[in-house]
Amino acid sequence: MGGDKGKRKNAPGGDGGQKQKKKKTGNAGKWTTPNQANKLALERNSIPQIGDRGIWVTCARHQENKAAREVINLFEEYIETMYGIKPASKEAKVGDDDDADLDIEAAIAKELGAIKENKTADVQKQEEDRALLKAMKLNIDCLLFVRTKDPIEPVEFVKRIVVDTKECTDIRKIKCRYLNRLTPMSVMGKATEQGLAETARQVLEEHFDLSGKKSEKTEGDGAEAETNKEGDNKKREYKPYTYAIRPTIRNHSNLKRDVVINTIAGLINDERHRVDLTNPDKVILVDIFQTVCGLSVVDGDWDELKKYNMTELYNQAAGITTVGQKKKKQQQQDQKQDEKTSESVKDEETKDTKEQE
């Protein structure tokens, strides 16, 4: 009796001291309900995907919905001007209420509401695939992605917009209040070192000789491969462009800046194309976000066009000086004044020395 007091009682239906096996739940992704499938499809369609092309848009903080409407209206206007295609709607694809501040879950919930009205995710996706533009609000502040379709070519499309913006000297004609930088992406690939290299080859081959760094080649190594590459290069004469690589990495930790630059630079023939960080002929833009990486090649006036920042271009065209610009200008003036003062002091010292002699 005394020995039984310290013993634990078995749980109802138990098996003595043995642990009960937990019942496995879930289906390991083997099947989903129609509602789950629709929700997953909508989530996938709300972020950039491998194979997409489009334009990254930065905007004022907490103004993502207004910026989405604004950018769609602006882009639709230029689609009509450049390609003669009349937009089906002047309304943005994200948000209907000016005061709405929808997050990703709210946007998904709203789209799921449309599904309940006999509009499935497949039908919705087909409609969006036919649309030339789709604005996506992401899970990061101040950032949007606008997916584009043919005939829109992101690089020439954005270049036309920013050049027109630079020439807009009348502040009353400013079309954008919330948009900042536009960054075109010709192709989106997988955000891995191999995916970056594959995407880079796809984008860069139009502009650069991608036979690799010649300075690192040794005689006798890969002779047959080199012959094939040289044979391919003879089919196309590449201009000796200089270039600079400008990477931007957001919400991603695997690919580091140095790895991105070295991977891309390692593809380019360094005898034909030289790096020039101050005045390049071409700028290679690399934008990595979560699991996707995008690339494009823009002209060397990218820096001159304020890195395609709409707000700064408007300010420059209208003669508006920002606080930062005023401070920089004041510092330059102070520096010049100090130099003049220093020169005058030296002149006085020289004069005194001559008088003493």
Side-chain angles (χ1 to χ4, degrees), residues 22-23 31 46 90 108 169 199 205 220 232 236 243 249 252 262 269 280 292 320:
K22 292 184 179 180
K23 185 179 179 180
W31 59 268
S46 298
K90 292 291 184 183
I108 292 171
T169 57
T199 307
E205 63 182 357
D232 292 339
R236 178 168 185 173
Y243 69 94
I249 302 174
H252 180 87
N262 291 334
N269 182 332
V292 294
I320 300 172

Side-chain angles (χ1 to χ4, degrees), residues 328-344:
K328 186 176 180 180
K329 189 175 181 180
Q330 185 63 44
Q331 288 174 346
Q332 291 173 344
Q333 290 175 348
D334 292 343
Q335 185 177 356
K336 287 181 181 179
Q337 186 63 38
D338 291 341
E339 290 174 354
K340 287 181 180 179
T341 303
S342 178
E343 288 176 0
S344 63

Side-chain angles (χ1 to χ4, degrees), residues 178-244:
Y178 306 107
L179 304 184
N180 290 329
R181 183 172 298 171
L182 306 181
T183 305
M185 291 287 108
S186 297
V187 177
M188 306 292 285
K190 191 174 183 180
T192 62
E193 196 167 340
Q194 181 180 352
L196 173 65
E198 292 173 354
T199 307
R201 285 188 177 278
Q202 188 176 351
V203 175
L204 302 182
E205 63 182 357
E206 182 181 346
H207 308 276
F208 300 100
D209 175 357
L210 300 181
S211 57
K213 286 192 174 183
K214 299 299 181 184
S215 59
E216 296 180 358
K217 301 290 182 183
T218 56
E219 292 183 5
D221 290 344
E224 184 178 351
E226 284 300 314
T227 304
N228 291 335
K229 286 180 180 178
E230 288 177 4
D232 292 339
N233 290 333
K234 286 180 182 178
K235 297 177 183 178
R236 178 168 185 173
E237 290 296 329
Y238 289 92
K239 293 182 180 179
Y241 290 130
T242 58
Y243 69 94

